[in-house]
Amino acid sequence: YSTTNIQVEGVDEADIVKTDGTYIYAFYKKQIIITQAYPAESAQIVSRILLDDITPIEMFVNGNQLVVFGTQYENGPYPYAEKMAAPGVAIDMIYPPYWGQSKTVLNVYDISNKAAPSLVKEIAYTGNYSTSRMIEDQVYVVISTYPEYRLLAESGNDESIIPMIKIDGVESPLAPPERIGYIPPIRAEQFVTIGSLNLGSLELTNETIVG
């Protein structure tokens, strides 16, 4: 069997299908299908992981761990709609009552029991998935985030445009302003975050710059 074609030896690249020689892991719509592929005469689907509102993008397999990247869209009432409306003008004529943002989800599953995978780590970045790599037990992901400048203009709070991260259900800013890097003379139009997840300890570290 073959693995994903890679550019650098020892540096794995995510893909839409992976195999360990016995099982095949593949996306089907908003599901991950785990199929026993060898021996061929007993090939069968052994489990399905339902992703609900997550659209899968790519994945890694590392021993008994499955790392899945996906996109999740979140929307809700626009927080400053009333403030931005002109006097006597209906709000929905100026701005829609809802706004939305894309999130990049990084889920880690324990697949030691192929028939019953379990979610062991759930991370959601505000922003778009750019690329990822895996070196041994270390997964690296790059996220690009475009600030919601309307929030800054209306709130007057500089921290309102800092990207958010949610780890196992707990949401917080990616970093305080003084911990976000800037490399002149690059124009600061977006945030770029590099996340590093250790699959042994499930410890996550992030570095964010503007550029």
Side-chain angles (χ1 to χ4, degrees):
Y1 74 97
S2 64
T3 57
T4 300
N5 291 338
I6 56 176
Q7 301 174 73
V8 180
E9 186 176 359
V11 182
D12 197 9
E13 300 182 29
D15 208 339
I16 61 173
V17 61
K18 291 283 189 178
T19 181
D20 56 16
T22 301
Y23 295 90
I24 293 174
Y25 309 86
F27 297 140
Y28 175 70
K29 296 183 179 178
K30 292 191 176 184
Q31 301 178 53
I32 303 166
I33 309 296
I34 301 179
T35 305
Q36 182 181 335
Y38 183 85
E41 57 270 18
S42 59
Q44 60 178 323
I45 293 175
V46 295
S47 62
R48 302 170 184 263
I49 301 173
L50 303 181
L51 299 175
D52 298 325
D53 59 344
I54 298 171
T55 301
I57 303 173
E58 292 183 317
M59 62 179 150
F60 289 112
V61 173
N62 184 298
N64 285 323
Q65 290 174 305
L66 178 65
V67 181
V68 177
F69 300 99
T71 298
Q72 186 179 50
Y73 190 74
E74 188 176 82
N75 58 27
Y78 184 66
Y80 298 102
E82 292 185 9
K83 187 175 180 180
M84 299 185 76
V89 179
I91 294 172
D92 59 0
M93 295 176 62
I94 304 298
Y95 286 94
Y98 290 89
W99 69 297
Q101 60 185 1
S102 292
K103 292 193 171 186
T104 297
V105 176
L106 192 172
N107 283 352
V108 181
Y109 297 89
D110 180 347
I111 52 172
S112 53
N113 181 355
K114 303 296 189 291
S118 60
L119 180 64
V120 295
K121 195 71 177 180
E122 188 174 20
I123 301 165
Y125 291 92
T126 300
N128 301 314
Y129 174 85
S130 295
T131 190
S132 61
R133 295 291 187 270
M134 183 171 70
I135 303 174
E136 297 180 345
D137 290 339
Q138 205 76 22
V139 170
Y140 302 92
V141 60
V142 180
I143 308 293
S144 297
T145 309
Y146 291 91
E148 180 65 50
Y149 287 113
R150 289 182 298 177
L151 294 180
L152 175 61
E154 294 306 317
S155 70
N157 179 5
D158 291 343
E159 297 186 25
S160 65
I161 60 171
I162 293 176
M164 302 294 287
I165 185 171
K166 183 182 289 186
I167 302 175
D168 297 328
V170 179
E171 190 171 48
S172 61
L174 260 174
E178 62 271 16
R179 288 280 297 142
I180 295 177
Y182 170 63
I183 306 173
I186 296 174
R187 293 181 62 184
E189 296 179 344
Q190 64 175 324
F191 296 97
V192 177
T193 298
I194 301 175
S196 175
L197 177 66
N198 185 292
L199 294 178
S201 63
L202 294 181
E203 180 181 351
L204 175 71
T205 56
N206 295 292
E207 290 292 342
T208 300
I209 64 170
V210 292

